[in-house]
Amino acid sequence: MAENKEKLLEMYTTMVRIRTFEQKAIDLFAAGKFPGFVHSYLGEEAIAAGVCSNLRKDDYICSTHRGHGHLIAKGGNLQLMMAELFGKATGYCKGKGGSMHIADVDLGILGANGIVGAGMPIATGAAFACKYRKSDSVAIAFFGDGASDRATFHESLNLASIWKLPVVFICENNGWAISNAQTSHQNITDISDRATAYGIPGVSVDGNDVVAIAEAADAAIERARKGDGPTLVECKTWRHRGHFEGDPAIYKDPKDQEEWLADNKDAIARMEKKLVGLKYAGQDYLDKIKAEVREEVEAAVQFAEQSPDPEPAEVLTDVYTA
Amino acid sequence: MAQMTYMEAIRDGMRVEMKRDPGVYIAGEDVAQFGGCFGVTAGLYDEFGPERVMNTPISEAVIVGHAVGAAAAGLRPIAEIMFVDFMGCCMDELGNQAAKMKYMFGGKAKVPMVVRTPCGAGMGAAAQHSQSLESWFTHIPGIKTIMPSTPADAKGLMIAAIRDDNPVVYIEHKQLLGLAGEVPEGEYVVPLGKADIKREGADVTIVAWSWMLQKSLAAAEQLAKEGINAEILDPRTLVPLDKEAILKSVAKTGRLVIVHEEVKTSGYGGEIAAIVTEEGFDYLDAPIKRVTAPDTPIPFSPVLEQAYIPNEEKIIKAVKQLF
Ligand SMILES: Cc1ncc(C[n+]2csc(CCOP(=O)(O)OP(=O)(O)O)c2C)c(N)n1
């Protein structure tokens, strides 16, 4: 995959887009522009960018509470996303969902999710629909290390394994479930070990190496498309921020934090080095990408700020399909 | 009496019982050093140690399920579920196991456990982190359901819940956590099944609990200025329900408004209305009114959320329709 310059640049741009959006979202939230919860994806950009680089529009993803990155990587519209964070009528969910529930069903994005571990059964179901319809589309379930302790994880892997469903389980192991370190919420190091219990392949990859992630995901997705069933891919990473904005994350060891944020670990810094090293881009070109993305994000903020609030009567609509 | 917030009062109730009874322990997500998502258990880990204040994985089914087993085996667990919305992940453990064990076993088991969980809208947390779901629990015989509205009740009911030999769902409201008030020190117990008149009045009875009790008190002040003297009755515990107190108040006022944050359909207000119609129809001078959330999920946008939450204005309007 490393020889695919275009793909590498595309994944890099996606990572930058996610990071820029997330940094903006954090600032806006801190400035009191919108309420609720913001779970930042900063530090984990490589996973969404790498996995989604192999997806088509007719593939499905199920996201999490930390969902902005998945949405952006699957092609989500930044303006509609930002307007949703603001709770505006023009947002993806008309302001009804907010950060934790952004969705774009037309893009196969079956939603961020406020319930940890809830995406895995849903992705399993979407994969079932793909197989049932005899299409070669697949479904991806993103979830955290914490979510891998829920029954929904185990039940989904089991069902998907016996029905040979085209679903790929992408575990974003960022070392934490809120304040609970992975080492204290489960008795294993590699979450991919759990695949063994279901007789499916399980691999662990460096979650800050976008190329490694894209390769592992590509293999799993191709396997799923061919009808060979599910795969569990664990991506080991680190969230840069607290669990949600407002969490000072005092439970983190400052040394770990520093190490993970350093350029030799950070996914975007590493990718820049790689692109420059491979002579796929000069620093000025990368800076140009960043500047363009910044403008995109600024335009999204402007769109959101200028958009109207929903009408109060909207509260009563959309409960049932007519 | 000490001045305390509602959150401190809940914590104080747990602390009093943990000191008194070595069988009481706390388990839940991030309840240890982190002190819980809202800080309710802050400091208890330092005070009681890692054997009595324990973090769990994100596994609601086994948080509540293990509590059932531990309680049946003689302990008194306090299980924390981070948001009441997540109770869907452990309803079998609560509704089919904890609730039914005593009855199914011919009265021979007891399950003295508390599930503590926060409810309520008002913080822009949207559809899966804002609900009021008390009727999920009141509908299952064998479970007691508690919803304190003041710091003092929060403490007294917590102690009563821990001492009770049945599974108790203790629902605390996120908007009340910072509410300050006088709280008796030491072993202060508020008995389950005993309503409290939070404001006396002769013209209309308003039954409300949790956050809506506070909103009803505020509405009553405004109504008083317009010459309507509302009696505010706080059932405090929905199961067991102090229906005598409700009937007595309605006998006095002749009018009843029920206010709750739950959605209207199959909300607990319907149960109270039915009881008063069945047993106190003759007392009524006007139809019973309910002020509730609409039958929708909870929207994110502040504009929509404000339209969703029952407020003073809606309470006042409902009361005035009875005159
Ligand atoms: C069923 C359920 N339990 C608990 C929560 C509260 N909660 C939200 S995020 C979170 C931690 C999730 O950890 P992990 O799955 O590792 O994902 P991360 O936040 O690290 O991305 C918890 C406990 C929830 N939303 N849903």
Side-chain angles (χ1 to χ4, degrees):
Chain A
M1 188 168 289
E3 59 288 349
N4 191 339
K5 172 177 159 183
E6 227 166 80
K7 179 153 180 166
L8 262 56
L9 281 168
E10 182 200 302
M11 291 193 297
Y12 169 77
T13 308
T14 302
M15 289 198 292
V16 170
R17 188 173 284 123
I18 295 170
R19 180 156 298 184
T20 312
F21 184 92
E22 286 297 71
Q23 271 162 344
K24 195 75 202 177
I26 287 172
D27 293 345
L28 292 165
F29 182 75
K33 296 280 188 183
F34 44 82
F37 287 106
V38 171
H39 302 87
S40 154
Y41 197 61
L42 288 177
E44 309 184 29
E45 298 91 343
I47 305 170
V51 171
C52 294
S53 71
N54 299 300
L55 295 181
R56 306 189 309 234
K57 191 176 165 192
D58 61 347
D59 292 324
Y60 294 96
I61 67 166
C62 288
S63 173
T64 67
H65 55 287
R66 204 175 296 294
H68 304 167
H70 311 137
L71 271 89
I72 292 172
K74 187 72 170 57
N77 176 310
L78 297 195
Q79 303 201 349
L80 306 189
M81 280 181 69
M82 197 59 94
E84 190 57 35
L85 295 191
F86 275 75
K88 294 298 181 72
T90 54
Y92 258 127
C93 317
K94 304 185 210 163
K96 289 182 176 173
S99 167
M100 273 194 291
H101 305 295
I102 305 182
D104 185 338
V105 177
D106 293 336
L107 288 177
I109 302 169
L110 297 181
N113 210 310
I115 303 297
V116 167
M120 291 176 275
I122 297 171
T124 300
F128 175 80
C130 297
K131 179 168 174 160
Y132 189 86
R133 288 195 310 250
K134 301 197 169 26
S135 87
D136 69 343
S137 298
V138 301
I140 305 289
F142 290 102
F143 59 99
D145 49 294
S148 74
D149 295 332
R150 278 209 59 208
T152 51
F153 166 85
H154 298 277
E155 294 180 16
S156 298
L157 265 68
N158 189 51
L159 187 77
S161 75
I162 56 167
W163 286 359
K164 277 203 169 193
L165 298 179
V167 51
V168 180
F169 298 95
I170 304 286
C171 181
E172 305 181 308
N173 179 359
N174 62 16
W176 298 97
I178 308 189
S179 71
N180 214 358
Q182 192 217 343
T183 47
S184 39
H185 73 69
Q186 48 192 211
N187 206 20
I188 52 173
T189 306
D190 295 329
I191 294 171
S192 58
D193 285 354
R194 290 190 171 172
T196 311
Y198 304 100
I200 62 172
V203 292
S204 292
V205 295
D206 178 347
N208 285 18
D209 180 344
V210 70
V211 177
I213 293 162
E215 282 170 351
D218 185 38
I221 289 166
E222 281 319 305
R223 189 181 129 82
R225 289 204 202 285
K226 283 204 315 254
D228 292 339
T231 303
L232 171 61
V233 180
E234 176 194 17
C235 307
K236 291 180 192 283
T237 185
W238 185 260
R239 74 166 138 77
H240 286 185
R241 305 286 299 175
H243 171 68
F244 41 57
E245 286 312 297
D247 165 20
I250 50 171
Y251 43 82
K252 284 187 188 172
D253 184 334
K255 271 210 300 277
D256 291 336
Q257 176 77 358
E258 199 182 312
E259 245 173 56
W260 277 96
L261 267 66
D263 277 357
N264 64 344
K265 276 251 186 172
D266 179 63
I268 294 183
R270 280 166 67 182
M271 189 60 166
E272 288 193 357
K273 203 167 158 207
K274 181 176 242 136
L275 290 169
V276 173
L278 287 167
K279 300 211 176 359
Y280 288 174
Q283 190 60 47
D284 50 339
Y285 185 68
L286 300 181
D287 289 344
K288 194 172 135 248
I289 292 177
K290 284 190 205 165
E292 279 168 11
V293 166
R294 260 199 306 276
E295 265 173 48
E296 236 184 285
V297 170
E298 284 308 327
V301 176
Q302 222 176 43
F303 174 77
E305 295 206 282
Q306 288 168 1
S307 290
D309 280 322
E311 289 298 323
E314 265 291 313
V315 77
L316 299 176
T317 65
D318 296 321
V319 180
Y320 294 98
T321 304
Chain B
M1 290 257 214
Q3 188 76 10
M4 262 185 219
T5 64
Y6 181 92
M7 163 150 74
E8 287 164 345
I10 299 168
R11 186 188 304 143
D12 197 41
M14 292 192 283
R15 179 188 288 121
V16 165
E17 285 308 284
M18 289 179 79
K19 278 194 174 146
R20 197 181 68 88
D21 180 347
V24 179
Y25 70 95
I26 299 174
E29 292 159 19
D30 303 279
V31 297
Q33 295 99 318
F34 194 68
C37 188
F38 295 99
V40 178
T41 56
L44 296 178
Y45 175 87
D46 290 334
E47 190 172 346
F48 295 100
E51 282 172 10
R52 296 185 69 193
V53 182
M54 282 171 303
N55 280 343
T56 63
I58 305 173
S59 305
E60 283 75 13
V62 80
I63 294 171
V64 172
H66 104 279
V68 177
L75 301 182
R76 287 187 181 269
I78 304 173
E80 175 176 317
I81 296 298
M82 198 179 281
F83 287 74
V84 75
D85 313 69
F86 311 159
M87 290 298 302
C89 304
C90 49
M91 277 305 274
D92 180 69
E93 286 66 29
L94 186 74
N96 278 330
Q97 312 306 329
K100 298 183 172 51
M101 213 178 234
K102 179 168 181 84
Y103 187 87
M104 292 188 304
F105 296 175
K108 290 192 182 113
K110 64 176 186 180
V111 187
M113 58 181 273
V114 177
V115 178
R116 258 193 55 235
T117 188
C119 74
M123 59 182 291
Q128 295 172 341
H129 285 74
S130 306
Q131 296 171 88
S132 289
L133 297 172
E134 46 269 33
S135 292
W136 281 20
F137 315 118
T138 59
H139 193 61
I140 303 173
I143 298 171
K144 297 188 177 181
T145 304
I146 298 182
M147 295 190 77
S149 66
T150 66
D153 286 349
K155 173 172 174 175
L157 291 169
M158 175 51 77
I159 294 181
I162 297 170
R163 292 185 184 181
D164 199 276
D165 277 338
N166 298 282
V168 176
V169 177
Y170 179 103
I171 307 173
E172 51 208 45
H173 201 293
K174 299 195 278 283
Q175 298 298 326
L176 294 176
L177 291 173
L179 178 76
E182 298 271 295
V183 177
E185 274 156 69
E187 296 188 22
Y188 172 62
V189 183
V190 171
L192 307 187
K194 190 144 180 24
D196 186 37
I197 305 286
K198 291 279 193 300
R199 184 188 194 280
E200 287 199 30
D203 301 333
V204 56
T205 300
I206 300 179
V207 173
W209 51 93
S210 196
W211 193 26
M212 291 303 129
L213 186 281
Q214 295 295 341
K215 287 196 179 285
S216 298
L217 284 173
E221 290 311 308
Q222 292 187 46
L223 283 166
K225 287 184 197 133
E226 299 179 42
I228 298 175
N229 208 353
E231 176 144 300
I232 311 286
L233 185 144
D234 181 356
R236 300 195 287 199
T237 68
L238 300 181
V239 175
L241 180 71
D242 189 351
K243 62 180 186 180
E244 284 70 32
I246 296 171
L247 289 164
K248 198 169 143 210
S249 177
V250 176
K252 178 168 82 170
T253 64
R255 293 177 174 85
L256 175 61
V257 174
I258 305 155
V259 187
H260 61 62
E261 194 178 328
E262 283 194 291
V263 302
K264 190 168 203 171
T265 299
S266 298
Y268 201 65
E271 185 61 34
I272 294 175
I275 290 170
V276 172
T277 321
E278 281 176 346
E279 301 181 34
F281 190 70
D282 294 342
Y283 305 144
L284 290 168
D285 298 327
I288 298 169
K289 283 268 169 207
R290 284 181 285 167
V291 181
T292 71
D295 287 336
T296 75
I298 298 160
F300 165 71
S301 168
V303 176
L304 299 179
E305 193 183 28
Q306 283 315 312
Y308 176 91
I309 300 169
N311 59 17
E312 288 83 341
E313 197 185 319
K314 290 173 195 166
I315 297 167
I316 290 167
K317 191 170 152 213
V319 168
K320 285 187 178 167
Q321 283 171 353
L322 302 184
F323 290 91

